Amino acid sequence: MIEIDAITKIYDGTAAVDNVSLTVETGEITAIVGTSGSGKTTLMRMINRLVEPTAGTIRIDGRDNRDLPAYELRRGIGYAIQGHGLFPHRTVAENIATVPRLLGWEKKRIDSRVDALLALFHLDPGQYRHRMPHELSGGQQQRIGVARALAAGPSVLLMDEPFGALDPIIRRSAQEDLLAIQRELCTTIVLVTHDMDEAIMLGSRIAVMSEGRVLQYAPPAEIIVRPAADLVAQLLGSGERVFRLMSLATVGQCVEEGAATGEAVDASTSLKDALAEMLWSGRDALPIRQEGRAIGRISRAAIFAHAAGPS
């Protein structure tokens, strides 16, 4: 757990971060989103003390982050940035092993960890561990950057616009990889992004910042249904809010009794994808299956009722 308690950072008399308090729960992803200059990166960098606060306290698992020297604190917190930041003169394996080496791990343990992380990111260790960064695609370089951040098994991972330099297709794949890996490792992640779609896809909770303050801190569905400020609504885009809400929920959450004709959809299918299938096939309802068994149906009316939210 990360507790940010009344944190302020002042530069030249101006508050870049102004009395911010929020809690990042253990094993969850908090996305910090906002326009340029909103204070989101400054806030995140105070967690690992790349920036020192002017006032306030940050606790990680109940311990003040100033209790350790800054360099020791950072070795226990993963950090991934846009453009990956790989050392160009080191191999993939050497890049991933950077922090374990600093921590004095034995070679056998380091080699095992490097191979395990490469496999986790769907990169064959035999093919990739001896490659140089310039021999990798942009997406592969970004995976190695995240693998390096995770190499020492940190409980906390900070990510600053990690996928911003990737093209949309590779970016989506990298986001899905991150979600899968986070579920497996249960790492607590703080991710800074200017992209509300990315925040909604990845965040368990979203902090929307403007002029150094947090305008709203809530789960994605609440942000979409009840934006707390005009800027939050603007970042969402009023015409897209319904579809974003549909992308968060699955048909398994909206099962209706009864049957429907045609090919079934899995219970894990998003409401957005289910609606697209209805429009494509000209049906008003779809049967739902779970683990190969029919469990009910989903109708257009149920999808629109869910997207409208509570009255």
Side-chain angles (χ1 to χ4, degrees):
M1 178 186 293
I2 304 170
E3 298 168 278
I4 297 173
D5 186 4
I7 279 290
T8 295
K9 179 61 182 180
I10 296 175
Y11 291 109
D12 299 325
T14 301
V17 174
D18 188 2
N19 194 34
V20 168
S21 296
L22 57 86
T23 298
V24 180
E25 297 293 341
T26 301
E28 292 193 349
I29 300 177
T30 283
I32 305 175
V33 66
T35 57
S36 178
S38 61
K40 56 189 186 295
T41 293
T42 301
L43 176 62
M44 186 195 70
R45 295 178 97 189
M46 285 191 279
I47 296 173
N48 66 352
R49 292 177 57 197
L50 285 171
V51 172
E52 295 287 356
T54 304
T57 304
I58 295 177
R59 293 178 292 275
I60 300 175
D61 293 333
R63 185 177 185 181
D64 192 319
N65 72 342
R66 294 168 294 191
D67 285 352
L68 288 173
Y71 72 90
E72 286 190 27
L73 174 74
R74 289 176 202 137
R75 288 178 184 179
I77 298 175
Y79 188 52
I81 61 174
Q82 179 176 325
H84 58 76
L86 299 179
F87 299 113
H89 58 287
R90 296 183 184 177
T91 66
V92 163
E94 289 168 341
N95 266 284
I96 295 173
T98 299
V99 174
R101 280 208 181 98
L102 290 173
L103 295 174
W105 287 21
E106 294 180 354
K107 184 179 184 303
K108 184 176 180 181
R109 183 183 179 192
I110 291 175
D111 290 345
S112 176
R113 181 64 172 169
V114 167
D115 288 352
L117 284 167
L118 285 171
L120 195 60
F121 280 88
H122 312 293
L123 297 170
D124 182 353
Q127 293 185 36
Y128 287 95
R129 65 178 355 264
H130 298 298
R131 289 191 184 181
M132 304 301 289
H134 72 269
E135 298 177 295
L136 305 175
S137 68
Q140 289 167 344
Q141 290 176 3
Q142 193 62 48
R143 289 181 190 177
I144 300 305
V146 178
R148 182 178 62 184
L150 293 169
S155 59
V156 173
L157 173 61
L158 308 180
M159 309 186 79
D160 190 0
E161 299 278 6
F163 311 124
L166 303 179
D167 69 56
I169 295 175
I170 296 174
R171 182 172 184 163
R172 179 74 178 195
S173 176
Q175 291 166 344
E176 291 171 351
D177 283 348
L178 178 65
L179 284 175
I181 289 164
Q182 193 271 342
R183 283 192 292 266
E184 182 165 336
L185 300 180
C186 296
T187 307
T188 303
I189 297 176
V190 178
L191 180 142
V192 163
T193 179
H194 68 277
D195 185 338
M196 183 61 87
D197 285 327
E198 183 165 84
I200 289 169
M201 177 182 178
L202 298 177
S204 307
R205 293 173 70 86
I206 299 171
V208 183
M209 292 191 68
S210 176
E211 298 181 348
R213 289 183 171 270
V214 172
L215 301 179
Q216 189 169 6
Y217 184 47
E222 184 176 334
I223 294 272
I224 294 169
V225 174
R226 300 185 188 89
D230 288 343
L231 178 62
V232 180
Q234 290 169 15
L235 288 172
L236 286 165
S238 58
E240 300 173 7
R241 265 188 249 162
V242 169
F243 290 101
R244 284 181 168 133
L245 189 60
M246 287 181 187
S247 71
L248 288 174
T250 66
V251 297
Q253 297 172 277
C254 304
V255 179
E256 303 169 289
E257 292 184 359
T261 60
E263 185 176 352
V265 293
D266 190 81
S268 63
T269 303
S270 73
L271 295 183
K272 182 179 177 181
D273 289 344
L275 179 60
E277 173 60 27
M278 288 179 194
L279 296 173
W280 177 257
S281 61
R283 289 182 284 172
D284 290 320
L286 305 173
I288 303 172
R289 64 171 182 270
Q290 187 170 40
E291 297 179 352
R293 181 177 61 87
I295 61 170
R297 68 175 207 155
I298 181 73
S299 66
R300 290 193 198 188
I303 291 175
F304 289 130
H306 181 89
S311 58

